[in-house]
Amino acid sequence: MPNSRSAKRALRKSDVRRLRNRSTRSELRNVIKNARLAIAGDDSQATVQALQKATKEIDQAASKGIIHKNAAARTKSRLAKSANQAAAK
């Protein structure tokens, strides 16, 4: 438990941030999962839309500091690579 007033305030702030980051991270995971499902499917238009949405969400999460910028770049790269491989088949 925090002892000083500033530590109590910091604890409250970290709780609020944790909950906000948790919901954003969960949404991010769902978007990435939907993009992977679209890539595995046959519809190329749905794949493009899902990839665009995932890219946008990943970039926003990286800009907010929810995920590291290199992790964001790696995830986007892997999604694009798998989409290109699926399109080539």
Side-chain angles (χ1 to χ4, degrees), residues 27-42:
E27 184 179 341
L28 179 66
R29 287 188 188 121
N30 288 334
V31 169
I32 292 171
K33 180 176 71 173
N34 291 339
R36 288 187 178 132
L37 290 174
I39 290 169
D42 293 334

Side-chain angles (χ1 to χ4, degrees), residues 40-75:
D42 293 334
D43 190 7
S44 63
Q45 185 66 23
T47 300
V48 170
Q49 289 177 348
L51 197 61
Q52 287 175 346
K53 183 169 176 55
T55 301
K56 180 180 177 182
E57 293 289 331
I58 291 168
D59 284 337
Q60 286 178 345
S63 70
K64 292 177 184 176
I66 293 171
I67 59 173
H68 194 271
K69 64 175 187 170
N70 290 351
R74 183 176 61 242
T75 305

